[in-house]
Amino acid sequence: MFSSIAPLARLNPFYAPHFQLPQDGVRKRAEAAEAPTTRRSLAAASAAEEYSCEYGSLKFYALCGVGGVLSCGLTHTAVVPLDLVKCRMQVDPQKYKSIFNGFSVTVKEDGVRGLAKGWAPTFIGYSMQGLCKFGFYEVFKILYGNMLGEENAYMWRTSLYLAASASAEFFADIALAPMEAAKVRIQTQPGYANTLRQAVPKMFGEEGIWAFYKGVAPLWMRQIPYTMMKFACFERTVEALYKYVVPKPRSECTKGEQLVVTFVAGYIAGVFCAIVSHPADSVVSVLNKEKGSSASQVLMRLGFKGVWKGLFARIIMIGTLTALQWFIYDSVKVYFRLPRPPPPEMPESLKKKLGLTE
């Protein structure tokens, strides 16, 4: 009985090599009849020991949200200097001609401390965004998957990832917009404000609450395609890496090996994310700097060539960011012992329908 459970236990992605099943050479044949019931009981007990909560439970969603806060808040704050130079290249390309020139000019005018301008709204805004982005993604992925059913969820899994991530990002951008607007003002308007405490009352006094949300539509234009690419590309890249690159099944990989795959897949996804979302990012940067302009006006004025300014800096920034975000997010799941389903496999029922099994 126990020998039949061993392969099942090894398929668990949280299988631990130190977990040993009792070995008993003598078992009565009568016990074999009780095997299915006992096996289910042992599997449930094993799952209870391995996982801190049930997949799809409120605790699961809450801890995924915590992972999102840490992954987005910390990473975006860490690359504030690069983000600052990138924004300045977008709004004033004559002055900030390249990444290295941008850093040089910024340090010359504002000192080294000037590279940290906008760190507070970045940390707050992207922490809120990460909470909604990752937390709601898990919610919508499970919700839409249940609506489709097991077979359709597998066949249409890329569409499922795209729909779930787009839904999550819609709410995430509403949470991000106020702090993003303040960050861009601080970083791109010399003398406007040096801190979040200075920027917020000044913005509200000039334009009211609209000052914080006038950039939400361009944010949707930038972030929703970005997030759709980020999640769908990541999910399918992980699936491909385990299928074609990693020499053993995910269930046999250590936690460290799984996190390496996560980082690589995250970086690949990040490069595509940067390219897809960069034109809208340029519009957001200019729009939040100027008063009275609309997204369409800014887009017309920048033209095709203008919206691609700072792309190389954004690829470096977003590629690194996305890889680190997925690494941190998956690490949080490991730390809190959250369920981490393996890459999807074709359901047995679908295999039978397609004639792949007898």
PDB file of all heavy atoms in Angstrom, residues 109-138:
ATOM      1  N   GLU A 109      23.718  68.425 -11.893  1.00  0.00           N
ATOM      2  CA  GLU A 109      22.762  69.447 -11.475  1.00  0.00           C
ATOM      3  C   GLU A 109      22.195  69.217 -10.076  1.00  0.00           C
ATOM      4  O   GLU A 109      21.998  70.163  -9.311  1.00  0.00           O
ATOM      5  CB  GLU A 109      21.603  69.504 -12.478  1.00  0.00           C
ATOM      6  CG  GLU A 109      22.011  70.020 -13.843  1.00  0.00           C
ATOM      7  CD  GLU A 109      20.830  70.129 -14.793  1.00  0.00           C
ATOM      8  OE1 GLU A 109      19.741  69.591 -14.479  1.00  0.00           O
ATOM      9  OE2 GLU A 109      20.998  70.756 -15.872  1.00  0.00           O
ATOM     10  N   ASP A 110      21.917  67.949  -9.742  1.00  0.00           N
ATOM     11  CA  ASP A 110      21.225  67.660  -8.478  1.00  0.00           C
ATOM     12  C   ASP A 110      22.060  66.886  -7.475  1.00  0.00           C
ATOM     13  O   ASP A 110      21.578  66.610  -6.367  1.00  0.00           O
ATOM     14  CB  ASP A 110      19.935  66.862  -8.761  1.00  0.00           C
ATOM     15  CG  ASP A 110      18.998  67.607  -9.699  1.00  0.00           C
ATOM     16  OD1 ASP A 110      18.943  68.853  -9.621  1.00  0.00           O
ATOM     17  OD2 ASP A 110      18.323  66.945 -10.511  1.00  0.00           O
ATOM     18  N   GLY A 111      23.266  66.478  -7.857  1.00  0.00           N
ATOM     19  CA  GLY A 111      24.061  65.648  -6.969  1.00  0.00           C
ATOM     20  C   GLY A 111      23.590  64.195  -7.017  1.00  0.00           C
ATOM     21  O   GLY A 111      22.595  63.869  -7.660  1.00  0.00           O
ATOM     22  N   VAL A 112      24.310  63.344  -6.313  1.00  0.00           N
ATOM     23  CA  VAL A 112      23.958  61.919  -6.297  1.00  0.00           C
ATOM     24  C   VAL A 112      22.574  61.709  -5.690  1.00  0.00           C
ATOM     25  O   VAL A 112      21.806  60.839  -6.120  1.00  0.00           O
ATOM     26  CB  VAL A 112      25.019  61.114  -5.510  1.00  0.00           C
ATOM     27  CG1 VAL A 112      24.610  59.652  -5.401  1.00  0.00           C
ATOM     28  CG2 VAL A 112      26.386  61.224  -6.191  1.00  0.00           C
ATOM     29  N   ARG A 113      22.231  62.531  -4.705  1.00  0.00           N
ATOM     30  CA  ARG A 113      20.914  62.381  -4.062  1.00  0.00           C
ATOM     31  C   ARG A 113      19.777  62.661  -5.041  1.00  0.00           C
ATOM     32  O   ARG A 113      18.664  62.167  -4.866  1.00  0.00           O
ATOM     33  CB  ARG A 113      20.800  63.329  -2.863  1.00  0.00           C
ATOM     34  CG  ARG A 113      21.712  62.976  -1.701  1.00  0.00           C
ATOM     35  CD  ARG A 113      21.480  63.884  -0.520  1.00  0.00           C
ATOM     36  NE  ARG A 113      20.116  63.751   0.010  1.00  0.00           N
ATOM     37  CZ  ARG A 113      19.653  64.468   1.037  1.00  0.00           C
ATOM     38  NH1 ARG A 113      20.444  65.373   1.620  1.00  0.00           N
ATOM     39  NH2 ARG A 113      18.428  64.291   1.457  1.00  0.00           N
ATOM     40  N   GLY A 114      20.084  63.426  -6.075  1.00  0.00           N
ATOM     41  CA  GLY A 114      19.056  63.729  -7.057  1.00  0.00           C
ATOM     42  C   GLY A 114      18.571  62.516  -7.812  1.00  0.00           C
ATOM     43  O   GLY A 114      17.452  62.498  -8.342  1.00  0.00           O
ATOM     44  N   LEU A 115      19.380  61.459  -7.858  1.00  0.00           N
ATOM     45  CA  LEU A 115      18.991  60.235  -8.553  1.00  0.00           C
ATOM     46  C   LEU A 115      17.873  59.482  -7.824  1.00  0.00           C
ATOM     47  O   LEU A 115      17.236  58.599  -8.391  1.00  0.00           O
ATOM     48  CB  LEU A 115      20.200  59.307  -8.716  1.00  0.00           C
ATOM     49  CG  LEU A 115      21.310  59.800  -9.653  1.00  0.00           C
ATOM     50  CD1 LEU A 115      22.523  58.888  -9.563  1.00  0.00           C
ATOM     51  CD2 LEU A 115      20.799  59.868 -11.095  1.00  0.00           C
ATOM     52  N   ALA A 116      17.670  59.827  -6.556  1.00  0.00           N
ATOM     53  CA  ALA A 116      16.635  59.143  -5.767  1.00  0.00           C
ATOM     54  C   ALA A 116      15.309  59.901  -5.765  1.00  0.00           C
ATOM     55  O   ALA A 116      14.373  59.494  -5.066  1.00  0.00           O
ATOM     56  CB  ALA A 116      17.122  58.945  -4.338  1.00  0.00           C
ATOM     57  N   LYS A 117      15.224  60.974  -6.515  1.00  0.00           N
ATOM     58  CA  LYS A 117      13.976  61.745  -6.547  1.00  0.00           C
ATOM     59  C   LYS A 117      12.803  60.859  -6.975  1.00  0.00           C
ATOM     60  O   LYS A 117      12.879  60.141  -7.960  1.00  0.00           O
ATOM     61  CB  LYS A 117      14.096  62.918  -7.534  1.00  0.00           C
ATOM     62  CG  LYS A 117      14.685  64.174  -6.929  1.00  0.00           C
ATOM     63  CD  LYS A 117      14.568  65.334  -7.898  1.00  0.00           C
ATOM     64  CE  LYS A 117      15.019  66.629  -7.250  1.00  0.00           C
ATOM     65  NZ  LYS A 117      14.874  67.775  -8.176  1.00  0.00           N
ATOM     66  N   GLY A 118      11.724  60.958  -6.211  1.00  0.00           N
ATOM     67  CA  GLY A 118      10.523  60.202  -6.548  1.00  0.00           C
ATOM     68  C   GLY A 118      10.460  58.811  -5.951  1.00  0.00           C
ATOM     69  O   GLY A 118       9.562  58.032  -6.289  1.00  0.00           O
ATOM     70  N   TRP A 119      11.366  58.496  -5.024  1.00  0.00           N
ATOM     71  CA  TRP A 119      11.373  57.138  -4.469  1.00  0.00           C
ATOM     72  C   TRP A 119      10.126  56.852  -3.632  1.00  0.00           C
ATOM     73  O   TRP A 119       9.608  55.731  -3.663  1.00  0.00           O
ATOM     74  CB  TRP A 119      12.643  56.896  -3.639  1.00  0.00           C
ATOM     75  CG  TRP A 119      12.617  57.580  -2.287  1.00  0.00           C
ATOM     76  CD1 TRP A 119      13.116  58.804  -1.982  1.00  0.00           C
ATOM     77  CD2 TRP A 119      12.046  57.061  -1.087  1.00  0.00           C
ATOM     78  NE1 TRP A 119      12.894  59.103  -0.657  1.00  0.00           N
ATOM     79  CE2 TRP A 119      12.242  58.045  -0.086  1.00  0.00           C
ATOM     80  CE3 TRP A 119      11.391  55.880  -0.742  1.00  0.00           C
ATOM     81  CZ2 TRP A 119      11.792  57.871   1.236  1.00  0.00           C
ATOM     82  CZ3 TRP A 119      10.941  55.703   0.564  1.00  0.00           C
ATOM     83  CH2 TRP A 119      11.147  56.696   1.542  1.00  0.00           C
ATOM     84  N   ALA A 120       9.631  57.852  -2.899  1.00  0.00           N
ATOM     85  CA  ALA A 120       8.482  57.628  -2.004  1.00  0.00           C
ATOM     86  C   ALA A 120       7.199  57.307  -2.790  1.00  0.00           C
ATOM     87  O   ALA A 120       6.532  56.296  -2.504  1.00  0.00           O
ATOM     88  CB  ALA A 120       8.271  58.822  -1.088  1.00  0.00           C
ATOM     89  N   PRO A 121       6.792  58.147  -3.769  1.00  0.00           N
ATOM     90  CA  PRO A 121       5.599  57.773  -4.539  1.00  0.00           C
ATOM     91  C   PRO A 121       5.789  56.482  -5.335  1.00  0.00           C
ATOM     92  O   PRO A 121       4.829  55.747  -5.570  1.00  0.00           O
ATOM     93  CB  PRO A 121       5.387  58.970  -5.470  1.00  0.00           C
ATOM     94  CG  PRO A 121       6.684  59.690  -5.518  1.00  0.00           C
ATOM     95  CD  PRO A 121       7.308  59.462  -4.170  1.00  0.00           C
ATOM     96  N   THR A 122       7.036  56.216  -5.732  1.00  0.00           N
ATOM     97  CA  THR A 122       7.308  54.955  -6.438  1.00  0.00           C
ATOM     98  C   THR A 122       7.032  53.767  -5.531  1.00  0.00           C
ATOM     99  O   THR A 122       6.335  52.816  -5.914  1.00  0.00           O
ATOM    100  CB  THR A 122       8.767  54.904  -6.926  1.00  0.00           C
ATOM    101  OG1 THR A 122       8.984  55.961  -7.861  1.00  0.00           O
ATOM    102  CG2 THR A 122       9.081  53.577  -7.588  1.00  0.00           C
ATOM    103  N   PHE A 123       7.556  53.801  -4.321  1.00  0.00           N
ATOM    104  CA  PHE A 123       7.382  52.686  -3.388  1.00  0.00           C
ATOM    105  C   PHE A 123       5.917  52.490  -3.017  1.00  0.00           C
ATOM    106  O   PHE A 123       5.391  51.364  -3.064  1.00  0.00           O
ATOM    107  CB  PHE A 123       8.208  52.918  -2.121  1.00  0.00           C
ATOM    108  CG  PHE A 123       8.030  51.831  -1.086  1.00  0.00           C
ATOM    109  CD1 PHE A 123       8.588  50.582  -1.287  1.00  0.00           C
ATOM    110  CD2 PHE A 123       7.289  52.065   0.052  1.00  0.00           C
ATOM    111  CE1 PHE A 123       8.419  49.573  -0.346  1.00  0.00           C
ATOM    112  CE2 PHE A 123       7.113  51.064   1.000  1.00  0.00           C
ATOM    113  CZ  PHE A 123       7.678  49.813   0.801  1.00  0.00           C
ATOM    114  N   ILE A 124       5.229  53.577  -2.675  1.00  0.00           N
ATOM    115  CA  ILE A 124       3.823  53.474  -2.268  1.00  0.00           C
ATOM    116  C   ILE A 124       2.951  53.039  -3.448  1.00  0.00           C
ATOM    117  O   ILE A 124       2.134  52.127  -3.337  1.00  0.00           O
ATOM    118  CB  ILE A 124       3.326  54.817  -1.697  1.00  0.00           C
ATOM    119  CG1 ILE A 124       4.101  55.168  -0.424  1.00  0.00           C
ATOM    120  CG2 ILE A 124       1.822  54.756  -1.398  1.00  0.00           C
ATOM    121  CD1 ILE A 124       3.852  56.584   0.083  1.00  0.00           C
ATOM    122  N   GLY A 125       3.134  53.719  -4.576  1.00  0.00           N
ATOM    123  CA  GLY A 125       2.285  53.450  -5.734  1.00  0.00           C
ATOM    124  C   GLY A 125       2.438  52.044  -6.269  1.00  0.00           C
ATOM    125  O   GLY A 125       1.441  51.348  -6.525  1.00  0.00           O
ATOM    126  N   TYR A 126       3.670  51.584  -6.420  1.00  0.00           N
ATOM    127  CA  TYR A 126       3.878  50.262  -6.998  1.00  0.00           C
ATOM    128  C   TYR A 126       3.626  49.135  -5.998  1.00  0.00           C
ATOM    129  O   TYR A 126       3.366  47.993  -6.400  1.00  0.00           O
ATOM    130  CB  TYR A 126       5.258  50.168  -7.634  1.00  0.00           C
ATOM    131  CG  TYR A 126       5.282  50.863  -8.973  1.00  0.00           C
ATOM    132  CD1 TYR A 126       5.687  52.191  -9.099  1.00  0.00           C
ATOM    133  CD2 TYR A 126       4.850  50.208 -10.117  1.00  0.00           C
ATOM    134  CE1 TYR A 126       5.668  52.839 -10.323  1.00  0.00           C
ATOM    135  CE2 TYR A 126       4.842  50.838 -11.351  1.00  0.00           C
ATOM    136  CZ  TYR A 126       5.246  52.168 -11.445  1.00  0.00           C
ATOM    137  OH  TYR A 126       5.216  52.802 -12.664  1.00  0.00           O
ATOM    138  N   SER A 127       3.688  49.443  -4.712  1.00  0.00           N
ATOM    139  CA  SER A 127       3.268  48.455  -3.713  1.00  0.00           C
ATOM    140  C   SER A 127       1.768  48.213  -3.827  1.00  0.00           C
ATOM    141  O   SER A 127       1.299  47.065  -3.797  1.00  0.00           O
ATOM    142  CB  SER A 127       3.623  48.932  -2.297  1.00  0.00           C
ATOM    143  OG  SER A 127       5.020  48.977  -2.108  1.00  0.00           O
ATOM    144  N   MET A 128       1.007  49.295  -3.958  1.00  0.00           N
ATOM    145  CA  MET A 128      -0.440  49.166  -4.129  1.00  0.00           C
ATOM    146  C   MET A 128      -0.770  48.451  -5.448  1.00  0.00           C
ATOM    147  O   MET A 128      -1.670  47.618  -5.520  1.00  0.00           O
ATOM    148  CB  MET A 128      -1.093  50.548  -4.111  1.00  0.00           C
ATOM    149  CG  MET A 128      -0.983  51.276  -2.780  1.00  0.00           C
ATOM    150  SD  MET A 128      -1.767  50.352  -1.444  1.00  0.00           S
ATOM    151  CE  MET A 128      -3.471  50.380  -1.973  1.00  0.00           C
ATOM    152  N   GLN A 129      -0.020  48.802  -6.481  1.00  0.00           N
ATOM    153  CA  GLN A 129      -0.246  48.156  -7.767  1.00  0.00           C
ATOM    154  C   GLN A 129       0.057  46.659  -7.694  1.00  0.00           C
ATOM    155  O   GLN A 129      -0.694  45.829  -8.219  1.00  0.00           O
ATOM    156  CB  GLN A 129       0.632  48.801  -8.845  1.00  0.00           C
ATOM    157  CG  GLN A 129       0.329  48.288 -10.250  1.00  0.00           C
ATOM    158  CD  GLN A 129       1.563  48.239 -11.137  1.00  0.00           C
ATOM    159  OE1 GLN A 129       2.666  47.991 -10.663  1.00  0.00           O
ATOM    160  NE2 GLN A 129       1.384  48.483 -12.403  1.00  0.00           N
ATOM    161  N   GLY A 130       1.158  46.302  -7.041  1.00  0.00           N
ATOM    162  CA  GLY A 130       1.523  44.891  -6.913  1.00  0.00           C
ATOM    163  C   GLY A 130       0.499  44.096  -6.127  1.00  0.00           C
ATOM    164  O   GLY A 130       0.208  42.942  -6.462  1.00  0.00           O
ATOM    165  N   LEU A 131      -0.051  44.706  -5.088  1.00  0.00           N
ATOM    166  CA  LEU A 131      -1.097  44.055  -4.294  1.00  0.00           C
ATOM    167  C   LEU A 131      -2.273  43.652  -5.176  1.00  0.00           C
ATOM    168  O   LEU A 131      -2.756  42.509  -5.124  1.00  0.00           O
ATOM    169  CB  LEU A 131      -1.562  45.001  -3.192  1.00  0.00           C
ATOM    170  CG  LEU A 131      -2.765  44.557  -2.356  1.00  0.00           C
ATOM    171  CD1 LEU A 131      -2.400  43.379  -1.471  1.00  0.00           C
ATOM    172  CD2 LEU A 131      -3.292  45.715  -1.514  1.00  0.00           C
ATOM    173  N   CYS A 132      -2.724  44.595  -6.000  1.00  0.00           N
ATOM    174  CA  CYS A 132      -3.881  44.327  -6.874  1.00  0.00           C
ATOM    175  C   CYS A 132      -3.506  43.439  -8.054  1.00  0.00           C
ATOM    176  O   CYS A 132      -4.258  42.545  -8.440  1.00  0.00           O
ATOM    177  CB  CYS A 132      -4.453  45.651  -7.388  1.00  0.00           C
ATOM    178  SG  CYS A 132      -5.095  46.735  -6.088  1.00  0.00           S
ATOM    179  N   LYS A 133      -2.328  43.689  -8.636  1.00  0.00           N
ATOM    180  CA  LYS A 133      -1.929  42.953  -9.849  1.00  0.00           C
ATOM    181  C   LYS A 133      -1.800  41.455  -9.585  1.00  0.00           C
ATOM    182  O   LYS A 133      -2.427  40.630 -10.255  1.00  0.00           O
ATOM    183  CB  LYS A 133      -0.605  43.504 -10.383  1.00  0.00           C
ATOM    184  CG  LYS A 133      -0.092  42.753 -11.598  1.00  0.00           C
ATOM    185  CD  LYS A 133       1.293  43.228 -12.002  1.00  0.00           C
ATOM    186  CE  LYS A 133       1.311  44.661 -12.428  1.00  0.00           C
ATOM    187  NZ  LYS A 133       2.507  45.034 -13.196  1.00  0.00           N
ATOM    188  N   PHE A 134      -0.993  41.086  -8.603  1.00  0.00           N
ATOM    189  CA  PHE A 134      -0.760  39.666  -8.350  1.00  0.00           C
ATOM    190  C   PHE A 134      -1.922  39.017  -7.610  1.00  0.00           C
ATOM    191  O   PHE A 134      -2.283  37.879  -7.896  1.00  0.00           O
ATOM    192  CB  PHE A 134       0.552  39.482  -7.577  1.00  0.00           C
ATOM    193  CG  PHE A 134       1.778  39.633  -8.427  1.00  0.00           C
ATOM    194  CD1 PHE A 134       2.402  40.865  -8.560  1.00  0.00           C
ATOM    195  CD2 PHE A 134       2.314  38.550  -9.100  1.00  0.00           C
ATOM    196  CE1 PHE A 134       3.537  41.008  -9.349  1.00  0.00           C
ATOM    197  CE2 PHE A 134       3.447  38.680  -9.895  1.00  0.00           C
ATOM    198  CZ  PHE A 134       4.060  39.919 -10.024  1.00  0.00           C
ATOM    199  N   GLY A 135      -2.481  39.744  -6.646  1.00  0.00           N
ATOM    200  CA  GLY A 135      -3.602  39.183  -5.899  1.00  0.00           C
ATOM    201  C   GLY A 135      -4.808  38.922  -6.780  1.00  0.00           C
ATOM    202  O   GLY A 135      -5.379  37.818  -6.779  1.00  0.00           O
ATOM    203  N   PHE A 136      -5.200  39.924  -7.569  1.00  0.00           N
ATOM    204  CA  PHE A 136      -6.373  39.767  -8.435  1.00  0.00           C
ATOM    205  C   PHE A 136      -6.097  38.817  -9.604  1.00  0.00           C
ATOM    206  O   PHE A 136      -7.018  38.176 -10.111  1.00  0.00           O
ATOM    207  CB  PHE A 136      -6.839  41.126  -8.968  1.00  0.00           C
ATOM    208  CG  PHE A 136      -7.600  41.942  -7.966  1.00  0.00           C
ATOM    209  CD1 PHE A 136      -7.485  43.330  -7.925  1.00  0.00           C
ATOM    210  CD2 PHE A 136      -8.452  41.341  -7.065  1.00  0.00           C
ATOM    211  CE1 PHE A 136      -8.186  44.085  -7.008  1.00  0.00           C
ATOM    212  CE2 PHE A 136      -9.167  42.085  -6.136  1.00  0.00           C
ATOM    213  CZ  PHE A 136      -9.032  43.460  -6.104  1.00  0.00           C
ATOM    214  N   TYR A 137      -4.841  38.728 -10.038  1.00  0.00           N
ATOM    215  CA  TYR A 137      -4.530  37.777 -11.106  1.00  0.00           C
ATOM    216  C   TYR A 137      -4.867  36.352 -10.679  1.00  0.00           C
ATOM    217  O   TYR A 137      -5.469  35.585 -11.434  1.00  0.00           O
ATOM    218  CB  TYR A 137      -3.055  37.867 -11.495  1.00  0.00           C
ATOM    219  CG  TYR A 137      -2.629  36.806 -12.502  1.00  0.00           C
ATOM    220  CD1 TYR A 137      -3.075  36.857 -13.816  1.00  0.00           C
ATOM    221  CD2 TYR A 137      -1.815  35.734 -12.121  1.00  0.00           C
ATOM    222  CE1 TYR A 137      -2.709  35.887 -14.737  1.00  0.00           C
ATOM    223  CE2 TYR A 137      -1.441  34.765 -13.037  1.00  0.00           C
ATOM    224  CZ  TYR A 137      -1.894  34.843 -14.342  1.00  0.00           C
ATOM    225  OH  TYR A 137      -1.543  33.872 -15.247  1.00  0.00           O
ATOM    226  N   GLU A 138      -4.474  36.008  -9.455  1.00  0.00           N
ATOM    227  CA  GLU A 138      -4.792  34.673  -8.953  1.00  0.00           C
ATOM    228  C   GLU A 138      -6.302  34.486  -8.840  1.00  0.00           C
ATOM    229  O   GLU A 138      -6.831  33.417  -9.157  1.00  0.00           O
ATOM    230  CB  GLU A 138      -4.125  34.457  -7.586  1.00  0.00           C
ATOM    231  CG  GLU A 138      -2.605  34.561  -7.585  1.00  0.00           C
ATOM    232  CD  GLU A 138      -1.916  33.388  -8.265  1.00  0.00           C
ATOM    233  OE1 GLU A 138      -2.609  32.446  -8.684  1.00  0.00           O
ATOM    234  OE2 GLU A 138      -0.678  33.415  -8.374  1.00  0.00           O
TER     235      GLU A 138
END
